[in-house]
Amino acid sequence: MAKRVRVVRMSVEQPLWRALTGYRVLTMVYAVVLAVFGREKFERPWVAFAYLAFLFVWTLATLPKVRSAASCTKRFLGADLVVALTGIMLTPLADIHSQTFDGPTLPSIWTAGAVLAFAIKGGWRWAAFASTFVAAANIIQRGDPSRDTYHNVLLVWVASIAIGYVVEVARASERTLARALEIEAATRERERLARDIHDSVLQVLAMVQRRGTAIGGEAAELGRMAGEQEVALRTLVSSGLVPPTRVSEDAAEGAVVRTVDVDEEPSAEDGVTCDLRALLAPHAGSRTSFAEPGAPVLLPAAAARELAAAVSAALDNVRVHAGDRAQAWILVEDEPGEVIVTVRDDGPGIPEGRLAQAEGEGRMGVALSIRGRLRDLGGTAEVISVPGQGTEVELKVPKALKVSRGKAGTAR
Protein backbone atom coordinates (compact mmCIF):
# COMPACT_ATOMS: atom_id res chain seq x y z
CA MET A 1 0.00 0.00 0.00
CA ALA A 2 1.34 3.44 -0.89
CA LYS A 3 2.35 5.35 2.17
CA ARG A 4 0.47 8.56 2.81
CA VAL A 5 1.61 11.23 5.20
CA ARG A 6 -0.14 13.94 7.14
CA VAL A 7 1.84 17.17 7.19
CA VAL A 8 1.71 19.56 10.11
CA ARG A 9 2.93 23.04 9.28
CA MET A 10 4.88 24.69 12.09
CA SER A 11 6.27 27.75 10.33
CA VAL A 12 8.32 29.97 12.62
CA GLU A 13 7.04 33.09 10.81
CA GLN A 14 3.49 32.49 12.03
CA PRO A 15 4.15 34.25 15.38
CA LEU A 16 5.28 37.31 13.40
CA TRP A 17 1.90 37.51 11.69
CA ARG A 18 0.11 37.21 15.02
CA ALA A 19 2.30 39.97 16.44
CA LEU A 20 1.58 42.16 13.40
CA THR A 21 -2.17 41.66 13.90
CA GLY A 22 -1.92 42.88 17.48
CA TYR A 23 0.36 45.75 16.49
CA ARG A 24 -2.10 47.07 13.89
CA VAL A 25 -5.01 47.07 16.36
CA LEU A 26 -3.04 48.73 19.17
CA THR A 27 -1.52 51.42 16.95
CA MET A 28 -4.90 52.16 15.38
CA VAL A 29 -6.35 52.73 18.86
CA TYR A 30 -3.33 54.86 19.72
CA ALA A 31 -3.81 57.06 16.63
CA VAL A 32 -7.51 57.60 17.46
CA VAL A 33 -6.79 58.42 21.13
CA LEU A 34 -4.01 60.78 20.10
CA ALA A 35 -6.37 62.67 17.77
CA VAL A 36 -9.15 62.86 20.35
CA PHE A 37 -6.93 64.38 23.02
CA GLY A 38 -5.30 66.76 20.52
CA ARG A 39 -8.43 67.77 18.65
CA GLU A 40 -7.99 71.48 19.56
CA LYS A 41 -4.98 71.78 17.29
CA PHE A 42 -6.85 70.70 14.14
CA GLU A 43 -7.92 73.52 11.81
CA ARG A 44 -10.12 71.02 9.97
CA PRO A 45 -11.01 68.34 12.54
CA TRP A 46 -13.54 66.74 10.20
CA VAL A 47 -10.67 65.71 7.87
CA ALA A 48 -8.80 64.07 10.71
CA PHE A 49 -11.77 62.21 12.16
CA ALA A 50 -13.10 61.14 8.76
CA TYR A 51 -9.72 59.56 7.97
CA LEU A 52 -9.41 57.97 11.44
CA ALA A 53 -12.92 56.53 11.16
CA PHE A 54 -11.93 54.95 7.88
CA LEU A 55 -8.65 53.70 9.44
CA PHE A 56 -10.64 52.13 12.30
CA VAL A 57 -12.92 50.25 9.92
CA TRP A 58 -10.06 49.28 7.57
CA THR A 59 -7.91 47.87 10.36
CA LEU A 60 -10.65 45.70 11.83
CA ALA A 61 -11.97 44.56 8.45
CA THR A 62 -8.53 43.47 7.22
CA LEU A 63 -7.43 41.51 10.29
CA PRO A 64 -7.93 38.19 8.45
CA LYS A 65 -5.55 39.45 5.76
CA VAL A 66 -2.60 39.65 8.14
CA ARG A 67 -2.98 36.23 9.74
CA SER A 68 -0.70 34.39 7.33
CA ALA A 69 1.48 34.81 4.26
CA ALA A 70 -1.15 33.11 2.11
CA SER A 71 -3.95 35.53 3.03
CA CYS A 72 -1.72 38.62 2.81
CA THR A 73 -1.88 39.19 -0.94
CA LYS A 74 0.04 41.72 -3.02
CA ARG A 75 -3.19 43.57 -3.78
CA PHE A 76 -3.92 43.97 -0.07
CA LEU A 77 -0.36 45.13 0.66
CA GLY A 78 -0.64 47.79 -2.03
CA ALA A 79 -4.01 49.02 -0.75
CA ASP A 80 -2.73 49.03 2.85
CA LEU A 81 0.28 51.12 1.85
CA VAL A 82 -1.99 53.57 0.02
CA VAL A 83 -4.08 53.98 3.19
CA ALA A 84 -0.94 54.79 5.19
CA LEU A 85 0.42 57.24 2.59
CA THR A 86 -2.97 58.95 2.29
CA GLY A 87 -3.06 59.53 6.03
CA ILE A 88 0.42 61.06 5.96
CA MET A 89 -0.43 63.40 3.07
CA LEU A 90 -3.77 64.45 4.67
CA THR A 91 -2.05 65.56 7.87
CA PRO A 92 -1.20 69.14 6.67
CA LEU A 93 -4.79 69.52 5.46
CA ALA A 94 -6.16 68.74 8.91
CA ASP A 95 -3.37 70.50 10.83
CA ILE A 96 -1.64 73.34 9.02
CA HIS A 97 1.01 73.68 11.74
CA SER A 98 2.17 70.06 11.24
CA GLN A 99 4.61 71.34 8.59
CA THR A 100 6.14 73.71 11.11
CA PHE A 101 6.30 71.48 14.17
CA ASP A 102 7.38 67.84 14.17
CA GLY A 103 4.09 66.47 15.44
CA PRO A 104 2.68 63.03 14.63
CA THR A 105 0.91 62.32 11.36
CA LEU A 106 -2.72 61.20 11.32
CA PRO A 107 -1.92 57.45 11.19
CA SER A 108 1.04 57.96 13.56
CA ILE A 109 3.00 54.72 14.15
CA TRP A 110 0.26 52.64 12.47
CA THR A 111 2.17 53.30 9.25
CA ALA A 112 5.01 51.06 10.43
CA GLY A 113 2.57 48.13 10.46
CA ALA A 114 1.97 48.51 6.73
CA VAL A 115 5.72 48.42 6.13
CA LEU A 116 6.20 45.41 8.42
CA ALA A 117 3.59 43.49 6.46
CA PHE A 118 5.76 43.96 3.36
CA ALA A 119 8.82 42.79 5.31
CA ILE A 120 7.20 39.61 6.62
CA LYS A 121 5.60 38.77 3.30
CA GLY A 122 8.48 39.39 0.92
CA GLY A 123 11.68 39.94 2.87
CA TRP A 124 14.04 42.89 2.99
CA ARG A 125 13.60 43.98 -0.66
CA TRP A 126 9.85 44.39 -0.22
CA ALA A 127 10.47 46.20 3.05
CA ALA A 128 12.88 48.61 1.35
CA PHE A 129 10.31 49.28 -1.38
CA ALA A 130 7.47 50.12 1.05
CA SER A 131 9.59 52.10 3.53
CA THR A 132 11.00 54.24 0.69
CA PHE A 133 7.48 55.40 -0.21
CA VAL A 134 6.71 56.10 3.45
CA ALA A 135 9.95 58.07 3.82
CA ALA A 136 9.22 60.15 0.73
CA ALA A 137 5.68 60.87 1.93
CA ASN A 138 6.92 62.00 5.37
CA ILE A 139 9.55 64.30 3.84
CA ILE A 140 7.03 65.82 1.41
CA GLN A 141 4.43 66.25 4.14
CA ARG A 142 6.86 68.15 6.36
CA GLY A 143 7.69 70.64 3.60
CA ASP A 144 10.82 71.76 5.45
CA PRO A 145 11.90 68.53 7.22
CA SER A 146 14.03 68.80 10.33
CA ARG A 147 16.87 66.59 11.50
CA ASP A 148 14.41 64.64 13.66
CA THR A 149 12.29 63.93 10.61
CA TYR A 150 15.24 62.45 8.72
CA HIS A 151 16.24 60.50 11.81
CA ASN A 152 12.78 58.92 12.19
CA VAL A 153 12.52 58.16 8.49
CA LEU A 154 15.93 56.47 8.46
CA LEU A 155 15.09 54.49 11.59
CA VAL A 156 11.92 53.03 10.05
CA TRP A 157 13.74 52.28 6.79
CA VAL A 158 16.63 50.43 8.47
CA ALA A 159 14.42 48.59 10.98
CA SER A 160 12.02 47.31 8.33
CA ILE A 161 14.86 46.08 6.13
CA ALA A 162 16.46 44.32 9.12
CA ILE A 163 13.19 42.57 9.97
CA GLY A 164 12.73 41.53 6.35
CA TYR A 165 16.24 40.06 6.31
CA VAL A 166 15.58 38.11 9.53
CA VAL A 167 12.40 36.68 7.97
CA GLU A 168 14.37 35.52 4.92
CA VAL A 169 16.97 33.84 7.15
CA ALA A 170 14.20 32.13 9.12
CA ARG A 171 12.62 30.81 5.93
CA ALA A 172 15.97 29.48 4.71
CA SER A 173 16.45 27.72 8.06
CA GLU A 174 12.98 26.19 7.76
CA ARG A 175 13.79 24.82 4.32
CA THR A 176 17.05 23.35 5.62
CA LEU A 177 15.30 21.73 8.57
CA ALA A 178 12.51 20.38 6.37
CA ARG A 179 15.10 18.84 4.05
CA ALA A 180 16.91 17.30 7.03
CA LEU A 181 13.65 15.78 8.27
CA GLU A 182 12.97 14.44 4.79
CA ILE A 183 16.40 12.80 4.64
CA GLU A 184 15.97 11.39 8.16
CA ALA A 185 12.57 9.93 7.24
CA ALA A 186 13.96 8.31 4.07
CA THR A 187 16.95 6.94 5.99
CA ARG A 188 14.74 5.42 8.67
CA GLU A 189 12.60 3.75 6.01
CA ARG A 190 15.67 2.29 4.30
CA GLU A 191 16.95 0.97 7.62
CA ARG A 192 13.57 -0.56 8.48
CA LEU A 193 13.38 -2.32 5.12
CA ALA A 194 16.98 -3.44 5.48
CA ARG A 195 16.22 -4.94 8.91
CA ASP A 196 13.18 -6.75 7.55
CA ILE A 197 15.19 -8.07 4.62
CA HIS A 198 18.00 -9.21 6.90
CA ASP A 199 15.63 -10.97 9.29
CA SER A 200 13.81 -12.83 6.51
CA VAL A 201 15.17 -13.01 2.95
CA LEU A 202 18.90 -12.86 3.70
CA GLN A 203 18.65 -15.43 6.47
CA VAL A 204 16.77 -17.83 4.19
CA LEU A 205 19.26 -17.38 1.35
CA ALA A 206 22.16 -18.00 3.71
CA MET A 207 20.51 -21.17 5.02
CA VAL A 208 19.83 -22.43 1.47
CA GLN A 209 23.48 -21.83 0.59
CA ARG A 210 24.77 -23.74 3.63
CA ARG A 211 22.36 -26.67 3.30
CA GLY A 212 22.82 -26.91 -0.45
CA THR A 213 26.60 -27.03 -0.12
CA ALA A 214 26.31 -29.72 2.57
CA ILE A 215 23.91 -31.90 0.52
CA GLY A 216 25.83 -31.57 -2.75
CA GLY A 217 24.65 -32.44 -6.27
CA GLU A 218 21.91 -30.25 -7.72
CA ALA A 219 21.31 -28.78 -4.27
CA ALA A 220 24.87 -27.44 -4.30
CA GLU A 221 24.10 -25.51 -7.49
CA LEU A 222 20.98 -24.08 -5.86
CA GLY A 223 23.09 -23.15 -2.86
CA ARG A 224 25.61 -21.38 -5.11
CA MET A 225 22.83 -19.38 -6.79
CA ALA A 226 21.33 -18.51 -3.42
CA GLY A 227 24.73 -17.30 -2.27
CA GLU A 228 25.07 -15.06 -5.32
CA GLN A 229 21.63 -13.58 -4.72
CA GLU A 230 22.47 -13.03 -1.06
CA VAL A 231 25.58 -11.06 -1.99
CA ALA A 232 23.65 -9.01 -4.58
CA LEU A 233 20.86 -8.24 -2.12
CA ARG A 234 23.30 -7.25 0.64
CA THR A 235 25.01 -4.90 -1.81
CA LEU A 236 21.66 -3.35 -2.75
CA VAL A 237 20.70 -2.80 0.90
CA SER A 238 24.06 -1.37 1.97
CA SER A 239 24.24 0.98 -1.06
CA GLY A 240 21.06 2.77 0.03
CA LEU A 241 19.16 1.97 -3.17
CA VAL A 242 16.11 0.77 -1.28
CA PRO A 243 13.43 3.23 -2.43
CA PRO A 244 12.56 5.82 0.22
CA THR A 245 9.07 6.86 1.18
CA ARG A 246 7.65 9.85 -0.65
CA VAL A 247 7.73 12.91 1.60
CA SER A 248 5.27 15.71 1.00
CA GLU A 249 6.42 18.58 -1.20
CA ASP A 250 5.13 21.01 1.42
CA ALA A 251 8.68 20.96 2.77
CA ALA A 252 9.73 23.05 -0.21
CA GLU A 253 7.34 25.82 0.83
CA GLY A 254 9.29 26.72 3.94
CA ALA A 255 7.28 24.73 6.46
CA VAL A 256 8.84 22.79 9.25
CA VAL A 257 7.18 19.44 8.67
CA ARG A 258 6.28 16.68 11.05
CA THR A 259 5.01 13.70 9.03
CA VAL A 260 2.98 10.94 10.60
CA ASP A 261 2.21 7.49 9.21
CA VAL A 262 -1.44 7.17 8.24
CA ASP A 263 -1.30 4.19 5.88
CA GLU A 264 -3.08 1.99 8.40
CA GLU A 265 -5.80 2.45 10.95
CA PRO A 266 -4.72 2.98 14.57
CA SER A 267 -4.02 -0.34 16.21
CA ALA A 268 -5.70 -1.50 19.36
CA GLU A 269 -2.17 -1.98 20.71
CA ASP A 270 -1.36 1.73 20.58
CA GLY A 271 -0.69 2.84 24.14
CA VAL A 272 -0.90 -0.79 25.44
CA THR A 273 1.94 -2.33 27.39
CA CYS A 274 3.29 -5.82 26.84
CA ASP A 275 5.16 -8.27 29.09
CA LEU A 276 8.56 -8.70 27.48
CA ARG A 277 8.98 -12.10 29.17
CA ALA A 278 6.16 -13.58 27.05
CA LEU A 279 7.97 -12.60 23.84
CA LEU A 280 11.36 -13.95 24.92
CA ALA A 281 10.23 -17.17 26.63
CA PRO A 282 9.83 -19.15 23.33
CA HIS A 283 13.60 -18.85 22.77
CA ALA A 284 14.30 -21.03 25.80
CA GLY A 285 15.45 -24.55 24.95
CA SER A 286 18.14 -27.12 25.43
CA ARG A 287 20.81 -24.76 24.07
CA THR A 288 19.33 -21.49 25.32
CA SER A 289 18.77 -20.64 28.99
CA PHE A 290 16.30 -17.93 29.90
CA ALA A 291 16.49 -16.02 33.19
CA GLU A 292 13.70 -13.57 33.99
CA PRO A 293 12.41 -11.48 36.90
CA GLY A 294 9.51 -12.81 38.93
CA ALA A 295 7.27 -9.86 38.01
CA PRO A 296 6.07 -8.76 34.55
CA VAL A 297 8.51 -6.65 32.53
CA LEU A 298 6.19 -4.10 30.94
CA LEU A 299 7.06 -2.04 27.87
CA PRO A 300 4.96 -0.44 25.12
CA ALA A 301 3.88 -3.21 22.76
CA ALA A 302 5.79 -1.85 19.77
CA ALA A 303 8.95 -1.37 21.84
CA ALA A 304 8.71 -4.87 23.30
CA ARG A 305 8.39 -6.38 19.81
CA GLU A 306 11.40 -4.45 18.53
CA LEU A 307 13.49 -5.48 21.53
CA ALA A 308 12.43 -9.12 21.09
CA ALA A 309 13.39 -8.93 17.39
CA ALA A 310 16.84 -7.61 18.37
CA VAL A 311 17.25 -10.56 20.77
CA SER A 312 16.23 -12.96 17.97
CA ALA A 313 18.85 -11.40 15.69
CA ALA A 314 21.49 -11.84 18.39
CA LEU A 315 20.53 -15.53 18.82
CA ASP A 316 20.63 -16.00 15.03
CA ASN A 317 24.20 -14.72 15.10
CA VAL A 318 25.00 -17.24 17.83
CA ARG A 319 23.67 -20.13 15.72
CA VAL A 320 25.41 -18.93 12.55
CA HIS A 321 28.81 -17.96 13.97
CA ALA A 322 29.15 -19.99 17.17
CA GLY A 323 27.71 -23.23 15.84
CA ASP A 324 24.74 -25.42 16.70
CA ARG A 325 26.48 -26.78 19.79
CA ALA A 326 27.05 -23.36 21.37
CA GLN A 327 25.23 -22.58 24.58
CA ALA A 328 23.39 -19.25 24.88
CA TRP A 329 21.94 -17.40 27.86
CA ILE A 330 19.25 -14.70 27.93
CA LEU A 331 19.08 -12.53 31.04
CA VAL A 332 16.31 -9.95 31.54
CA GLU A 333 16.77 -7.23 34.17
CA ASP A 334 13.96 -4.84 35.06
CA GLU A 335 15.65 -1.71 36.45
CA PRO A 336 13.73 1.37 37.73
CA GLY A 337 14.48 3.46 34.65
CA GLU A 338 15.31 0.92 31.97
CA VAL A 339 15.07 -2.69 30.84
CA ILE A 340 18.31 -4.56 30.18
CA VAL A 341 18.45 -7.76 28.13
CA THR A 342 21.77 -9.59 27.87
CA VAL A 343 22.43 -12.34 25.32
CA ARG A 344 25.63 -14.28 26.01
CA ASP A 345 27.17 -17.35 24.37
CA ASP A 346 30.19 -19.58 24.91
CA GLY A 347 31.27 -19.58 21.28
CA PRO A 348 34.66 -18.65 19.82
CA GLY A 349 34.02 -14.90 20.13
CA ILE A 350 34.41 -12.19 17.52
CA PRO A 351 37.87 -11.25 16.25
CA GLU A 352 38.78 -7.60 16.72
CA GLY A 353 37.63 -5.47 13.79
CA ARG A 354 35.34 -8.20 12.42
CA LEU A 355 32.12 -6.24 13.00
CA ALA A 356 33.42 -3.21 11.09
CA GLN A 357 34.62 -5.48 8.29
CA ALA A 358 31.24 -7.24 8.08
CA GLU A 359 29.45 -3.91 7.91
CA GLY A 360 31.74 -2.82 5.09
CA GLU A 361 30.91 -6.04 3.23
CA GLY A 362 27.18 -5.32 3.53
CA ARG A 363 26.50 -7.79 6.35
CA MET A 364 24.33 -5.51 8.45
CA GLY A 365 23.00 -7.93 11.10
CA VAL A 366 24.52 -6.20 14.11
CA ALA A 367 24.40 -2.70 12.61
CA LEU A 368 20.73 -2.77 11.59
CA SER A 369 18.87 -5.68 13.18
CA ILE A 370 20.34 -5.00 16.61
CA ARG A 371 21.85 -1.53 16.95
CA GLY A 372 19.39 0.08 14.52
CA ARG A 373 16.39 -1.23 16.44
CA LEU A 374 17.76 -0.12 19.80
CA ARG A 375 18.63 3.33 18.45
CA ASP A 376 15.05 3.80 17.22
CA LEU A 377 13.86 2.94 20.73
CA GLY A 378 16.21 5.50 22.28
CA GLY A 379 18.30 2.72 23.76
CA THR A 380 21.77 1.28 23.22
CA ALA A 381 23.30 -2.01 22.09
CA GLU A 382 26.79 -2.94 23.21
CA VAL A 383 28.69 -5.96 21.88
CA ILE A 384 31.46 -7.29 24.11
CA SER A 385 33.54 -10.16 22.77
CA VAL A 386 36.90 -11.70 23.59
CA PRO A 387 38.26 -14.27 21.11
CA GLY A 388 37.93 -17.73 22.67
CA GLN A 389 35.66 -16.54 25.48
CA GLY A 390 32.32 -16.02 23.77
CA THR A 391 30.25 -12.91 23.00
CA GLU A 392 27.92 -10.80 25.09
CA VAL A 393 25.30 -8.46 23.62
CA GLU A 394 23.79 -6.01 26.12
CA LEU A 395 20.57 -4.28 25.07
CA LYS A 396 19.27 -1.34 27.11
CA VAL A 397 15.88 0.32 26.56
CA PRO A 398 14.58 3.24 28.67
CA LYS A 399 11.10 2.79 30.09
CA ALA A 400 10.09 6.42 29.47
CA LEU A 401 10.33 6.33 25.70
CA LYS A 402 8.50 7.44 22.61
CA VAL A 403 8.76 4.64 20.12
CA SER A 404 10.00 5.60 16.67
CA ARG A 405 8.94 2.79 14.43
CA GLY A 406 11.76 3.33 12.04
CA LYS A 407 9.39 4.24 9.25
CA ALA A 408 9.71 7.15 6.95
CA GLY A 409 7.32 9.81 7.82
CA THR A 410 7.94 9.56 11.53
CA ALA A 411 10.10 12.46 12.62
CA ARG A 412 10.36 13.77 16.12
Side-chain angles (χ1 to χ4, degrees):
M1 180 183 295
K3 189 176 292 294
R4 297 176 289 112
V5 294
R6 174 169 56 88
V7 180
V8 181
R9 296 184 64 86
M10 297 182 291
S11 174
V12 297
E13 73 180 61
Q14 200 57 42
L16 295 177
W17 289 109
R18 288 196 292 267
L20 178 60
T21 301
Y23 178 88
R24 287 168 64 88
V25 173
L26 292 176
T27 53
M28 176 270 295
V29 172
Y30 174 76
V32 172
V33 170
L34 200 65
V36 169
F37 282 96
R39 59 184 179 276
E40 295 84 2
K41 70 174 183 177
F42 292 119
E43 283 75 15
R44 300 181 182 89
W46 64 271
V47 174
F49 288 106
Y51 171 78
L52 291 173
F54 175 81
L55 184 67
F56 179 87
V57 174
W58 172 262
T59 302
L60 296 182
T62 57
L63 287 182
K65 291 290 187 179
V66 290
R67 288 179 179 172
S68 66
S71 59
C72 187
T73 62
K74 292 181 180 180
R75 180 176 298 181
F76 162 74
L77 288 175
D80 201 49
L81 184 60
V82 168
V83 171
L85 297 178
T86 302
I88 295 174
M89 300 307 295
L90 285 176
T91 302
L93 184 62
D95 179 13
I96 298 176
H97 299 291
S98 63
Q99 293 183 321
T100 306
F101 302 99
D102 284 333
T105 59
L106 289 179
S108 186
I109 56 177
W110 184 91
T111 305
V115 177
L116 291 177
F118 274 84
I120 300 174
K121 172 71 174 181
W124 70 269
R125 293 176 181 83
W126 287 34
F129 171 81
S131 57
T132 299
F133 277 95
V134 171
N138 274 284
I139 293 174
I140 294 172
Q141 177 263 329
R142 293 299 179 190
D144 185 17
S146 65
R147 184 174 63 181
D148 289 340
T149 301
Y150 287 113
H151 172 78
N152 294 333
V153 163
L154 182 62
L155 181 62
V156 172
W157 195 76
V158 172
S160 61
I161 290 177
I163 292 174
Y165 178 75
V166 170
V167 169
E168 288 188 0
V169 171
R171 285 177 178 151
S173 300
E174 283 182 333
R175 288 191 292 270
T176 301
L177 179 57
R179 178 58 180 163
L181 290 176
E182 182 181 353
I183 293 173
E184 180 189 10
T187 301
R188 286 184 180 276
E189 176 67 2
R190 288 192 182 101
E191 291 182 357
R192 183 189 67 82
L193 292 177
R195 285 199 298 266
D196 291 344
I197 291 172
H198 176 272
D199 292 347
S200 55
V201 181
L202 290 178
Q203 296 285 11
V204 172
L205 290 175
M207 183 185 69
V208 171
Q209 181 187 22
R210 291 195 303 271
R211 296 291 178 85
T213 303
I215 294 173
E218 293 183 358
E221 178 62 17
L222 291 176
R224 183 190 65 80
M225 295 172 63
E228 292 177 352
Q229 294 303 312
E230 180 194 4
V231 172
L233 188 54
R234 288 186 186 277
T235 302
L236 181 66
V237 171
S238 61
S239 65
L241 296 179
V242 178
T245 298
R246 177 183 176 274
V247 177
S248 173
E249 295 178 356
D250 284 6
E253 298 179 2
V256 178
V257 236
R258 183 179 73 249
T259 53
V260 183
D261 290 320
V262 293
D263 56 336
E264 56 186 26
E265 294 299 322
S267 170
E269 291 184 341
D270 289 346
V272 177
T273 57
C274 175
D275 187 357
L276 180 64
R277 302 177 306 168
L279 299 179
L280 298 182
H283 293 298
S286 60
R287 293 290 178 183
T288 304
S289 300
F290 179 47
E292 58 179 299
V297 181
L298 299 179
L299 282 174
R305 287 196 301 269
E306 288 294 284
L307 182 55
V311 172
S312 297
L315 292 174
D316 287 341
N317 286 337
V318 173
R319 286 189 287 270
V320 172
H321 301 293
D324 293 334
R325 301 182 61 83
Q327 184 70 33
W329 294 266
I330 303 174
L331 172 63
V332 179
E333 301 173 81
D334 190 3
E335 299 293 337
E338 62 184 359
V339 173
I340 304 174
V341 180
T342 304
V343 180
R344 185 168 59 87
D345 66 72
D346 60 357
I350 304 174
E352 185 176 357
R354 178 56 186 149
L355 291 179
Q357 180 184 356
E359 187 172 343
E361 293 172 352
R363 299 179 179 274
M364 310 294 284
V366 174
L368 292 179
S369 287
I370 299 178
R371 287 186 178 138
R373 280 190 165 97
L374 270 293
R375 184 194 63 232
D376 287 347
L377 296 175
T380 59
E382 184 177 1
V383 180
I384 304 171
S385 182
V386 177
Q389 299 183 25
T391 301
E392 180 177 301
V393 180
E394 186 179 69
L395 311 174
K396 295 183 178 180
V397 176
K399 289 184 177 179
L401 52 82
K402 294 182 179 179
V403 180
S404 171
R405 301 184 182 181
K407 295 181 181 181
T410 304
R412 292 180 173 82

